[in-house]
Amino acid sequence: MTTISVRPASNLGSFAAAFRQAAREHSSLFALILAVVLLIANVANLPQFASPSEIPGELGTLAPFVLVAMASTPAILSGGAGIDLSVAPLMGLVNVMFVVYLLPHGFGNPAIAIPAMLLVGALVGTANGVMVAVLRFPPVIATLGTYFVLAGLGLDIAPDPVSASQNWTDQLATSIGHIPGAVFTIGGAFLFWYLIRRLPYHRALLAVGGGDAAAFSAGVNATLVRLLAYTIGGMMAGLAGLALTGTIQSADTTVWPDYVIVALAAVALGGTSLSGGRGGFVCAALGATCVFLIQNLISVLGVSVFYLQVAYGAVLLVAVVLGSSLSGQGSANLAGGNLAAGST
């Protein structure tokens, strides 16, 4: 009798295992692949999407997506169930303050407006950090309270949309000379993060996010590290507010609410661990790019805008599931000292 041995088809399983391992080591890999696929889909359905004349405007529209995702990242990286729900209304408040207060009173030039709006963002972020890191309020509750305060202030300042006078922020959504304006907004945020990564603070941030106990035993001041994480997020939200102003050229409190779920979906989709300790601005930018391309593709295909929220929710759910399945024992490795791997 002849026996036939059946060897399991293991090639697919081996590929899946290799992909999971690569995704653990490079947390933004999935977002990078998805962004390329979505870009191809957008260009296939709308060829002028890749037109050189359209690129500055598209990057200008992308900038608020990227920056608000970056603003959400430090709080999440800091662990302790860290999250900052107030970055979107803070972005909206900066937009309103710039258009209603600074521009009409002669303080709208970049030398004054940029430091002032970054300072507003940093102060709000620091307030959140004090509540979370010092007073030990749950991050969701603390930042949700700030969310409502900022939303109310924005509505009080501009209950109706206010058109902006001619100002320099319109170049942020188009070009400054021959360079897309988004290069300066997104590039400025990347430069800032690059400098942060070269400081001991970055390693301390990932250590705290990986586990308070391990960080404390290593002599890290978890309270200060976590507080500064919210401060950095607030600054990025201030920059996002200026980028948003460049895009809409008005003070409009109906625009920023869409960015609340955009920020969370982008951070999770980009590969940043929602439990903290792994991720960074590159992950946030890739995740935000995917969300932006999904939104644009839905528009190009003529799908009702009401399905945008469905798409955002689906992206967030998929990102959380993928993050959980790919993270493996990453948090344990991070807590043990392997802090640089997969964090950009």
Side-chain angles (χ1 to χ4, degrees), residues 309-329:
Q309 298 299 322
V310 176
Y312 292 155
V315 166
L316 181 56
L317 287 174
V318 169
V320 170
V321 171
L322 281 174
S324 298
S325 63
L326 294 176
S327 61
Q329 55 186 3

Side-chain angles (χ1 to χ4, degrees), residues 5-310:
S5 61
V6 179
R7 187 176 63 181
S10 60
N11 289 341
L12 185 59
S14 299
F15 175 79
F19 179 81
R20 282 196 297 270
Q21 181 61 32
R24 289 185 186 126
E25 296 176 358
H26 307 281
S27 55
S28 57
L29 178 62
F30 175 77
L32 177 61
I33 295 172
L34 181 60
V36 172
V37 172
L38 288 169
L39 179 60
I40 293 172
N42 273 271
V43 174
N45 286 278
L46 187 68
Q48 58 263 41
F49 185 79
S51 171
S53 62
E54 298 293 329
I55 290 176
E58 290 160 357
L59 290 177
T61 305
L62 171 65
F65 285 76
V66 171
L67 293 170
V68 78
M70 289 177 172
S72 297
T73 298
I76 294 174
L77 284 179
S78 70
I83 192 171
D84 191 348
L85 299 176
S86 69
V87 293
L90 176 54
M91 175 179 70
L93 180 64
V94 166
N95 160 244
V96 167
M97 291 179 65
F98 177 77
V99 173
V100 176
Y101 288 155
L102 297 191
L103 283 179
H105 297 92
F107 299 109
N109 66 79
I112 297 176
I114 294 177
M117 295 298 93
L118 292 182
L119 178 60
V120 168
L123 289 174
V124 173
T126 300
N128 282 331
V130 169
M131 288 189 288
V132 171
V134 179
L135 301 179
R136 306 290 181 177
F137 293 170
V140 170
I141 301 301
T143 59
L144 185 62
T146 306
Y147 174 109
F148 287 117
V149 169
L150 299 177
L153 287 174
L155 282 171
D156 182 63
I157 297 171
D160 299 305
V162 178
S163 296
S165 57
Q166 183 66 34
N167 66 91
W168 56 273
T169 62
D170 64 344
Q171 298 177 71
L172 299 179
T174 53
S175 297
I176 300 176
H178 297 290
I179 303 175
V183 170
F184 294 93
T185 51
I186 299 176
F190 272 130
L191 177 60
F192 177 75
W193 189 245
Y194 171 78
L195 296 175
I196 290 290
R197 292 191 71 217
R198 297 181 68 84
L199 297 175
Y201 172 78
H202 181 257
R203 183 174 290 270
L205 175 63
L206 297 184
V208 170
D212 279 13
F216 181 78
S217 65
V220 176
N221 186 337
T223 299
L224 179 60
V225 167
R226 194 161 281 143
L227 189 155
L228 289 177
Y230 284 85
T231 301
I232 293 170
M235 290 178 61
M236 292 299 102
L239 183 58
L242 293 174
L244 179 66
T245 304
T247 301
I248 64 177
Q249 285 301 298
S250 64
D252 192 344
T253 56
T254 65
V255 174
W256 64 259
D258 289 338
Y259 288 91
V260 177
I261 193 169
V262 164
L264 295 177
V267 171
L269 184 60
T272 294
S273 171
L274 296 182
S275 60
R278 178 171 60 89
F281 275 20
V282 172
C283 295
L286 285 171
T289 301
C290 290
V291 173
F292 168 73
L293 291 172
I294 290 171
Q295 175 180 296
N296 194 75
L297 186 60
I298 288 176
S299 176
V300 168
L301 295 177
V303 179
S304 171
V305 294
F306 296 110
Y307 285 100
L308 271 178
Q309 298 299 322
V310 176

